[in-house]
Amino acid sequence: MSEPRSDTSCAASWCADDPWCGLTCAVDVLGHKWHPVVVHRLLARGPLGFGELADDVGAITNKVLSETLADLEAAAVVDRTVVDDRPVRVEYSLTDDGEALAPAIEALQDWGEQYLVD
């Protein structure tokens, strides 16, 4: 796994001098309802087509999944690749920066399971 990209800038650059700015940057990427779920599924299953990802997540609409993938691609967390098959299909995978989110996603999963209310 490579180092995070140095040319990726945090959308929360307004807080650059504050000790909590890294957290703000992370929340900017993962703070949306479906963003961490999509990253989690791609970490668990590797590259997936749109339909496979939609089936795996389940409760997400195609519109929201499309928007989520576009957001994660813009944040350099997800790569979108057109697969040269017939019919042509699109496959989504994590970038090195996306793979680097694994410890954070696992920690959020563990914390959530600990505090999950039945």
Side-chain angles (χ1 to χ4, degrees):
M1 190 176 311
S2 65
E3 291 294 316
R5 294 174 9 159
S6 61
D7 63 338
T8 302
S9 62
C10 172
S13 60
W14 53 267
C15 67
D17 294 332
D18 296 315
W20 43 263
C21 196
L23 176 63
T24 302
C25 291
V27 170
D28 187 56
V29 173
L30 294 176
H32 302 274
K33 178 178 179 178
W34 294 107
H35 288 76
V37 175
V38 168
V39 172
H40 181 272
R41 299 322 305 143
L42 290 173
L43 282 166
R45 298 203 43 222
L48 294 170
F50 187 91
E52 295 168 311
L53 193 50
D55 290 344
D56 199 35
V57 173
I60 194 169
T61 66
N62 285 346
K63 178 181 186 264
V64 172
L65 178 57
S66 181
E67 291 169 354
T68 297
L69 289 165
D71 288 348
L72 292 172
E73 186 178 5
V77 172
V78 168
D79 268 334
R80 180 183 184 273
T81 304
V82 176
V83 179
D84 192 20
D85 284 339
R86 289 189 187 237
V88 174
R89 66 184 193 91
V90 176
E91 190 172 79
Y92 297 91
S93 60
L94 294 173
T95 63
D96 287 344
D97 288 348
E99 292 280 345
L101 286 168
I105 296 295
E106 290 169 14
L108 287 168
Q109 173 78 17
D110 292 346
W111 186 89
E113 287 176 357
Q114 198 172 26
Y115 291 93
L116 188 65
V117 177
D118 292 331

